[in-house]
């Protein structure tokens, strides 16, 4: 299954050093992106691993055709104790009348390997937002909320350690307050009960993580995700989850549907990365928005029905 690349849709400009890993949503016929933005001024560390003065914000961009975007303004800024070192990698879900924006919140400097957890921003209009730390107070990221309730509960995908898990909440208030030690102590104590997707293939042998929020079909939830191999190369995979119980994997492609091939995917602040965070279906076409080499926002497309058919025929059951 080959995706059609449309190339770069957002790239650094003026005082911006990097713009990548965008969440995506359709609103009033337009497509909005929510990329991670790093302002200019960050520098490579002497150790060669990571950057200093590297603080992320989440901005908003808009397009009428899904290809030509205008970067508008910051939306989520690092201004609390739990995200003061960065707000990264938004995923956006419209659930009922609210937009749920999950992101990785950094309470320690980027590249430190600690102090990252899930943050949630709620908004009705992409202007006023309210923010909450959600998820357990352990290293946790790649969170995405299902666009419909499952068995009348809000369902959250996230990555702890190296695999993808699901957590359920009775209502919005419980989700906003789920940093309670009691809730998460019980959850972490029986974590394997909530396993959704685990590493199986060589191209995802180091770790996997959720991409955009799952897309509902009559066959199941289509989950686009990323996998990382032992050499640190990021690729894009796809699987199909049962509608009523997403812990049941109905099909999973053994090979990626996108991997670093273009120069802009191989070379950047972090080389050899394609990192999917946004996806929308418009007029039967799937638009997958991804970060390329932690530097730019890019787009790859296909007919959504063709991808689903391919997954059903060639996916591992």
């Amino acid at each position: 299954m080959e995706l059609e690349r449309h190339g770069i849709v957002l790239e650094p400009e003026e005082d911006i050093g990097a713009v990548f890993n965008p969440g995506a949503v359709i609103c009033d016929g337009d497509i909005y992106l929510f990329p991670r933005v790093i302002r200019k001024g960050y520098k490579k560390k002497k150790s060669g691993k990571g950057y200093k003065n590297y603080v992320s914000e989440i901005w908003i961009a808009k397009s009428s055709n899904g290809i030509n975007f205008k970067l508008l303004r910051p939306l989520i800024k690092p201004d609390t104790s739990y995200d003061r070192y960065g707000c990264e990698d938004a995923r956006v879900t419209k659930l009922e009348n609210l937009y749920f924006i999950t992101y990785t919140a950094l309470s320690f400097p980027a590249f430190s390997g600690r102090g990252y957890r899930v943050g949630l921003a709620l908004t009705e209009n992409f202007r006023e937002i309210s923010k909450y730390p959600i998820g357990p107070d352990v290293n946790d990221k790649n969170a995405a909320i299902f666009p419909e309730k499952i068995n009348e509960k809000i369902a959250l995908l996230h990555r702890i350690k190296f695999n993808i898990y699901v957590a359920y909440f009775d209502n919005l208030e419980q989700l906003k307050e789920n940093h309670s030690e009691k809730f998460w102590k019980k959850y972490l104590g029986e974590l394997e009960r909530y396993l959704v997707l685990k590493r199986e293939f060589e191209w995802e042998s180091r770790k996997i993580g959720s991409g955009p929020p799952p897309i509902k079909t009559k066959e199941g939830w289509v989950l686009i995700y990323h996998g990382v191999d032992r050499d640190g190369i990021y690729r894009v995979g796809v699987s199909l989850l049962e509608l009523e119980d997403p812990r049941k994997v109905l099909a999973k492609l053994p090979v990626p549907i996108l991997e670093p091939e273009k120069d802009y995917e191989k070379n950047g602040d972090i080389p050899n990365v394609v990192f999917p965070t946004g996806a929308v279906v418009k007029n039967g076409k799937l638009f997958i928005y991804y970060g390329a080499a932690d530097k730019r926002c890019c787009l790859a497309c296909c007919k959504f029905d063709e991808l689903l058919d391919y997954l059903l025929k060639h996916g591992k059951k």
Side-chain angles (χ1 to χ4, degrees):
M1 179 72 194
E2 292 188 6
L3 301 180
E4 176 189 359
R5 281 180 170 86
H6 282 272
I8 299 166
V9 296
L10 284 172
E11 58 185 333
E13 57 183 43
E14 298 179 357
D15 65 338
I16 292 174
V19 52
F20 58 106
N21 295 3
V25 71
I26 296 177
C27 179
D28 296 328
D30 293 320
I31 296 179
Y32 287 80
L33 293 186
F34 301 82
R36 174 179 168 187
V37 169
I38 317 292
R39 297 179 188 265
K40 285 183 178 176
Y42 60 93
K43 297 180 180 179
K44 194 81 171 178
K45 290 184 176 181
K46 290 182 179 179
S47 65
K49 296 182 179 180
Y51 297 85
K52 57 183 179 179
N53 302 322
Y54 190 92
V55 179
S56 303
E57 302 170 319
I58 293 170
W59 285 43
I60 187 168
K62 182 181 178 181
S63 170
S64 60
N65 62 8
I67 298 173
N68 304 111
F69 284 88
K70 181 179 181 181
L71 193 61
L72 300 177
R73 55 184 165 78
L75 180 66
I76 304 173
K77 298 180 181 180
D79 55 9
T80 71
S81 60
Y82 60 85
D83 68 5
R84 63 184 180 272
Y85 286 104
C87 306
E88 303 180 350
D89 306 345
R91 279 81 163 177
V92 187
T93 299
K94 186 177 183 183
L95 185 61
E96 297 175 347
N97 295 319
L98 272 178
Y99 292 95
F100 290 66
I101 306 174
T102 50
Y103 66 97
T104 300
L106 272 63
S107 59
F108 281 79
F111 305 103
S112 66
R114 58 176 179 159
Y116 56 87
R117 65 182 303 175
V118 177
L120 172 68
L122 299 174
T123 183
E124 294 180 348
N125 53 21
F126 303 134
R127 291 194 176 275
E128 295 83 15
I129 64 169
S130 53
K131 291 168 56 175
Y132 308 88
I134 63 173
D137 192 11
V138 299
N139 284 351
D140 186 10
K141 63 194 317 184
N142 298 322
I145 291 175
F146 283 76
E148 292 184 11
K149 290 183 177 180
I150 298 178
N151 299 317
E152 300 185 356
K153 294 181 181 290
I154 297 172
L156 173 79
L157 293 176
H158 61 138
R159 206 244 342 264
I160 294 179
K161 297 180 180 177
F162 309 109
N163 298 314
I164 300 172
Y165 298 87
V166 65
Y168 294 103
F169 307 95
D170 294 331
N171 50 49
L172 178 57
E173 290 307 310
Q174 187 184 52
L175 174 65
K176 293 191 310 190
E177 297 174 1
N178 72 15
H179 46 279
S180 72
E181 292 184 9
K182 184 178 180 181
F183 179 98
W184 287 110
K185 183 177 180 180
K186 182 176 186 298
Y187 180 89
L188 294 174
E190 49 189 23
L191 184 62
E192 292 310 303
R193 283 188 56 195
Y194 304 100
L195 177 67
V196 173
L197 212 61
K198 63 182 180 180
R199 299 163 292 161
E200 294 182 76
F201 311 115
E202 180 61 31
W203 65 271
E204 56 178 20
S205 57
R206 180 184 291 187
K207 57 186 176 182
I208 59 174
S210 303
I215 302 169
K216 188 178 183 180
T217 74
K218 64 180 180 180
E219 303 291 347
W221 295 103
V222 173
L223 176 63
I224 298 162
Y225 68 100
H226 69 266
V228 188
D229 69 9
R230 292 185 177 88
D231 296 321
I233 298 174
Y234 283 69
R235 298 177 174 88
V236 179
V238 63
S239 62
L240 186 69
L241 313 177
E242 187 178 276
L243 290 175
E244 297 300 316
D245 186 356
R247 296 175 302 174
K248 296 179 181 178
V249 180
L250 304 177
K252 181 182 179 184
L253 285 184
V255 295
I257 59 172
L258 190 71
E259 59 185 332
E261 294 178 356
K262 301 294 185 180
D263 179 72
Y264 54 80
E265 297 165 343
K266 291 184 175 182
N267 297 294
D269 289 341
I270 306 293
N272 295 310
V273 174
V274 290
F275 192 88
T277 40
V280 299
V281 178
K282 190 172 184 178
N283 298 325
K285 192 173 185 178
L286 175 65
F287 293 68
I288 300 176
Y289 295 97
Y290 64 97
D294 279 20
K295 195 70 174 179
R296 300 171 175 86
C297 295
C298 297
L299 168 64
C301 298
C302 67
K303 291 181 179 179
F304 187 52
D305 287 346
E306 290 184 0
L307 176 63
L308 181 57
D309 288 344
Y310 189 86
L311 177 58
L312 289 169
K313 290 178 181 177
H314 300 283
K316 179 184 177 183
K317 304 296 192 291

